[in-house]
Amino acid sequence: VRVSSPVSPPRDPVVVLASDAFKGSLAAPAVCASMARGLRRVWPKVEVRSCPMADGGEGTLEAVLMGVGLRGSRHARIVSGAGGNPIEVAYGILDSPDGNVAIVEVAQVVGIADRVAMALPAASRSTRGVGELIRALLDADVRRFLVALGGSSTNDGGAGMLTALGARLLDSEGETVAPAPSALGAIERVDVASLDPRLETCEVILLSDVDNPLCGRRGATATFGPQKGVASQDLAAFDEALARFAGHVESALQRHVATSPGAGAAGGLGFALQVLGGSSRSGAEFVADLVGLDASLEGADWLITGEGRSDAQTLAGKAPLVAASRARAAGVPATLVSGALDSAALSELGRHFAGCFAIPAAPMTMAASIAEADELLADRVEQLARLWAAAHE
Amino acid sequence: VRVSSPVSPPRDPVVVLASDAFKGSLAAPAVCASMARGLRRVWPKVEVRSCPMADGGEGTLEAVLMGVGLRGSRHARIVSGAGGNPIEVAYGILDSPDGNVAIVEVAQVVGIADRVAMALPAASRSTRGVGELIRALLDADVRRFLVALGGSSTNDGGAGMLTALGARLLDSEGETVAPAPSALGAIERVDVASLDPRLETCEVILLSDVDNPLCGRRGATATFGPQKGVASQDLAAFDEALARFAGHVESALQRHVATSPGAGAAGGLGFALQVLGGSSRSGAEFVADLVGLDASLEGADWLITGEGRSDAQTLAGKAPLVAASRARAAGVPATLVSGALDSAALSELGRHFAGCFAIPAAPMTMAASIAEADELLADRVEQLARLWAAAHE
């Protein structure tokens, strides 16, 4: 009888890197690259599997394109920004056996980083450019759309997009009403006779990390209006105008979605896309599937995830939590390394991760931490890998 | 033939906590208590072995008293502070089969935290109070002294202490000269006839973390004078005065120690104690022995050490490096958790530790980090323990 040694020769671990972007600092692929650099300082031949994550917000296009590799391509087009200003936006095209899929990131068109639009009042910002982009893609024979809804500056219920696609908003005199929050309250009828007929044959998937309805206490205006610059005394009027607009759109299209989860995403753009037949999905879960996270976890020893700031919202299903949940199902420990941790949420976060860490190596300002994030992150992951190696022996 | 399972049932690790103080924030025993709290959140029954460390500076008295347990006792006495102001100082008495050992922490008597003394110019500060305390201890039949030299505000070469013990500093007229840096240059002779004769039968061990000589380029004045408030244009005069004073002391006592390592500790107090027969030791190594660090490491799985700030000076033999070196000899991985890490030294520090970490969980000010150190430290160690547990499986 041969008794084999119970001690295997030590080998470098297989590590899955599945981080969201550090918003304002590093895109998700760059985060994974920094993490990989830290790991290689400890294990020069470590097997790293990079699965950049996103949750439907800013950075989703980049994560999806990275995830699909050669099947995807990046394109650009000039459309109207939220303030009517021309803006060059990036979008993706994903080759698929069933036809091309367009990846539209709403934050590229009407994002909060657009200074021209942000200088205008929220009441005059519109999603018209999103409709222009979709129309151009329809012209290019695209019939499948993946729309990432996070990071918008608009609160127009998708009125701008609908008019760009052919809908007409009419007042009591039958005159056309502008598709901006300031005018929506005057709508008496929505004419969908000229709505682009090609939309009926489209498949639209909406990626979002929020499940808010269009109106009411948990609606788009009450929840996200203030951070888009809607004054507190105007919140009720915005909400009423959205409700009025939505009622007319629902009557015209004979579809009722204003109260469905996600209708309140992107200032109600979620509503307009759902009323056209789109279905909402969790952005993080969808991206995890698209980048093949489950397959990457097979035979892996450790997953590292992260995001710019981790707090109670992380627990509501942001990318790091989805990554940890997939890792748990695969029996792989998941460690969180973020730009910052909210100490008040740490105890709860700790239940989901094999350790939660932040990148600062000393007291420092937020600005310094953001400016040095690339190296701080590599350093932090290096030190965690040193501990991992020691504990694993 | 029975083949036993190669998998042992998982057990909680045995963890040695051997941290220095986080100066200005937590004493070493408090640091170890915070770390233990973090560990118990992950492993409620973890075996913790606390070995609070010190390096001969501020906090050495507390660490030593904690280390020796019931064999030690804490006492207090009023002596002269560095500015001549009365000051209550703590000291320790350690029972030993060979007679009592007094533990004198110079930082208690002439420390940089004494605002009265620090408001005076460096030229007028003196170590007289150290001599007063030693004399009182001699009166109490103490003949063995452990003197922790770090953290002083003085630069008098120990002249104050020597005069308090009976030495007389005389100028060319035979008049007594004050034992302060401003007057040392006038000395023509040192009269040791009245020096306390009991000193000849004493054993004095000096604890320090510096090996500087008394004078010259690496001397007490050049190295530590500026941080004690000696103006750059006065450095040369201070150094010359110390050299002159030292030459006369050495002639009188027929012992030459001004160039020996550690003579420059505590503004030259190291010189005066060496010239009385004291021998210098590494404070951190001595404390490690006294608290029984090697015995605590037997059968341990993990050591955690730390200090207020880790940088290139840590590598010169501070307490965390001594703890890591003892741990390595025992085959136990050592992890560093400090208040702050100098990123520039991190790569070098990383070679000595199984991971180097800092307590901030997000960008924050130094003041906030110090104020919240107790909880930040428990949180950080908790999260490291979660990673350890996952990696160890």
Side-chain angles (χ1 to χ4, degrees):
Chain A
V1 173
R2 290 176 58 201
V3 181
S4 64
S5 162
V7 179
S8 316
R11 61 166 179 83
D12 288 357
V14 175
V15 186
V16 177
L17 302 178
S19 181
D20 201 343
F22 282 22
K23 284 185 182 114
S25 176
L26 297 171
V31 169
C32 295
S34 298
M35 289 178 167
R37 204 166 75 244
L39 293 174
R40 291 202 184 93
R41 291 183 195 152
V42 181
W43 301 299
K45 295 181 177 173
V46 64
E47 179 180 340
V48 168
R49 299 175 182 170
S50 283
C51 299
M53 293 283 290
D55 60 10
E58 186 194 338
T60 299
L61 173 63
E62 187 148 1
V64 168
L65 284 178
M66 175 96 178
V68 301
L70 292 175
R71 289 166 50 215
S73 55
R74 171 189 286 265
H75 306 266
R77 183 172 184 91
I78 292 174
V79 297
S80 302
N85 48 308
I87 187 169
E88 182 175 294
V89 303
Y91 63 95
I93 294 290
L94 170 59
D95 288 334
S96 147
D98 308 322
N100 284 347
V101 180
I103 308 151
V104 173
E105 184 179 296
V106 165
Q108 294 271 334
V109 187
V110 292
I112 52 175
D114 179 353
R115 292 187 186 182
V116 175
M118 292 305 283
L120 297 172
S124 62
R125 287 180 224 137
S126 141
T127 53
R128 177 184 293 274
V130 177
E132 294 168 2
L133 181 57
I134 290 173
R135 191 152 215 165
L137 289 162
L138 289 170
D139 291 345
D141 289 331
V142 171
R143 294 294 181 272
R144 298 169 70 206
F145 293 87
L146 206 52
V147 184
L149 287 176
S152 74
S153 70
T154 48
N155 200 77
D156 75 344
M161 179 193 72
L162 287 176
T163 58
L165 290 169
R168 293 172 67 221
L169 314 181
L170 305 170
D171 66 13
S172 56
E173 313 284 307
E175 297 291 321
T176 303
V177 168
S182 54
L184 296 183
I187 294 175
E188 285 295 334
R189 193 166 73 84
V190 173
D191 174 4
V192 296
S194 305
L195 197 62
D196 196 311
R198 296 172 294 184
L199 289 168
E200 284 170 31
T201 61
C202 284
E203 179 192 352
V204 180
I205 293 177
L206 312 177
L207 304 183
S208 161
D209 65 348
V210 305
D211 61 1
N212 303 68
L214 178 63
C215 293
R217 194 179 52 81
R218 291 190 65 248
T221 309
T223 311
F224 306 107
Q227 72 199 45
K228 295 177 180 179
V230 181
S232 54
Q233 68 271 21
D234 297 337
L235 289 171
F238 267 68
D239 196 50
E240 272 171 44
L242 277 192
R244 182 182 188 90
F245 157 74
H248 288 298
V249 172
E250 289 185 325
S251 299
L253 288 169
Q254 290 298 306
R255 203 181 259 140
H256 298 277
V257 299
T259 56
S260 74
L269 181 60
F271 160 79
L273 285 161
Q274 283 188 14
V275 89
L276 291 177
S279 62
S280 282
R281 298 279 304 273
S282 151
E285 297 282 2
F286 189 92
V287 172
D289 289 339
L290 200 73
V291 300
L293 181 56
D294 293 338
S296 291
L297 282 163
E298 278 173 30
D301 299 289
W302 192 16
L303 175 143
I304 307 179
T305 182
E307 60 187 331
R309 176 182 168 81
S310 296
D311 52 26
Q313 290 193 357
T314 303
L315 298 162
K318 295 265 188 191
L321 210 78
V322 168
S325 153
R326 300 291 182 99
R328 188 181 318 110
V332 176
T335 294
L336 179 72
V337 186
S338 292
L341 299 172
D342 178 358
S343 287
L346 186 54
S347 160
E348 184 68 27
L349 284 168
R351 287 180 208 159
H352 298 271
F353 297 98
C356 302
F357 303 93
I359 62 171
M364 58 171 55
T365 62
M366 178 78 79
S369 170
I370 286 174
E372 298 162 28
D374 175 53
E375 188 56 19
L376 289 171
L377 180 56
D379 281 350
R380 193 61 24 234
V381 169
E382 174 191 352
Q383 299 302 323
L384 289 169
R386 292 194 187 283
L387 178 60
W388 175 282
H392 204 66
E393 274 171 7
Chain B
V1 172
R2 292 176 56 202
V3 181
S4 63
S5 161
V7 179
S8 317
R11 62 166 178 84
D12 289 356
V14 175
V15 186
V16 177
L17 302 178
S19 180
D20 200 344
F22 282 24
K23 284 185 183 115
S25 176
L26 297 172
V31 169
C32 294
S34 298
M35 289 177 166
R37 204 166 73 244
L39 292 175
R40 290 204 184 92
R41 290 182 196 154
V42 181
W43 301 300
K45 295 181 179 174
V46 64
E47 180 181 339
V48 168
R49 298 174 183 171
S50 282
C51 300
M53 293 282 290
D55 59 11
E58 187 193 338
T60 299
L61 173 63
E62 187 148 1
V64 168
L65 284 177
M66 174 96 179
V68 301
L70 292 175
R71 290 165 51 214
S73 55
R74 171 188 287 263
H75 305 267
R77 185 173 184 90
I78 292 173
V79 297
S80 302
N85 48 308
I87 189 170
E88 183 175 294
V89 303
Y91 63 95
I93 295 291
L94 171 59
D95 288 333
S96 148
D98 309 324
N100 285 346
V101 181
I103 308 149
V104 174
E105 184 178 297
V106 165
Q108 293 272 335
V109 188
V110 293
I112 51 175
D114 179 353
R115 292 187 186 182
V116 176
M118 292 304 284
L120 297 172
S124 61
R125 287 180 224 136
S126 139
T127 54
R128 177 186 291 274
V130 177
E132 293 169 2
L133 181 57
I134 290 174
R135 191 152 215 168
L137 289 163
L138 290 170
D139 291 345
D141 289 332
V142 171
R143 294 294 181 271
R144 298 170 70 205
F145 293 86
L146 205 53
V147 185
L149 287 177
S152 73
S153 71
T154 48
N155 201 78
D156 74 345
M161 180 194 71
L162 288 175
T163 57
L165 290 169
R168 293 173 67 223
L169 315 180
L170 306 169
D171 67 12
S172 56
E173 312 285 307
E175 299 291 322
T176 303
V177 167
S182 54
L184 297 181
I187 294 174
E188 285 295 337
R189 191 165 72 85
V190 172
D191 174 2
V192 296
S194 306
L195 198 61
D196 195 311
R198 296 172 294 185
L199 289 168
E200 285 171 29
T201 61
C202 284
E203 180 192 352
V204 180
I205 293 177
L206 311 177
L207 304 184
S208 160
D209 65 346
V210 305
D211 61 359
N212 304 68
L214 179 63
C215 293
R217 194 178 52 81
R218 290 191 64 248
T221 309
T223 312
F224 307 108
Q227 72 199 47
K228 295 177 180 180
V230 181
S232 54
Q233 68 271 23
D234 297 336
L235 289 170
F238 268 67
D239 196 50
E240 273 170 41
L242 276 192
R244 183 182 187 89
F245 157 74
H248 289 298
V249 173
E250 290 184 325
S251 300
L253 288 169
Q254 291 298 304
R255 203 181 258 140
H256 297 277
V257 298
T259 56
S260 74
L269 181 59
F271 160 78
L273 285 161
Q274 284 188 14
V275 89
L276 291 177
S279 62
S280 282
R281 299 279 303 274
S282 152
E285 297 281 4
F286 190 91
V287 172
D289 289 339
L290 200 73
V291 300
L293 181 56
D294 292 339
S296 291
L297 282 163
E298 279 173 30
D301 299 289
W302 191 16
L303 175 143
I304 306 179
T305 182
E307 61 186 331
R309 179 182 165 82
S310 296
D311 52 25
Q313 290 192 358
T314 303
L315 298 162
K318 295 265 187 190
L321 209 80
V322 168
S325 153
R326 301 292 182 99
R328 189 182 316 109
V332 176
T335 294
L336 179 71
V337 186
S338 292
L341 299 172
D342 178 359
S343 287
L346 187 54
S347 161
E348 184 67 29
L349 284 168
R351 286 178 210 159
H352 297 271
F353 297 97
C356 301
F357 303 93
I359 62 171
M364 58 170 57
T365 63
M366 178 79 78
S369 171
I370 286 174
E372 298 162 27
D374 175 53
E375 189 54 21
L376 289 172
L377 180 55
D379 280 349
R380 194 59 26 233
V381 168
E382 175 191 350
Q383 299 302 324
L384 290 168
R386 292 193 188 283
L387 178 59
W388 175 281
H392 205 66
E393 274 170 8

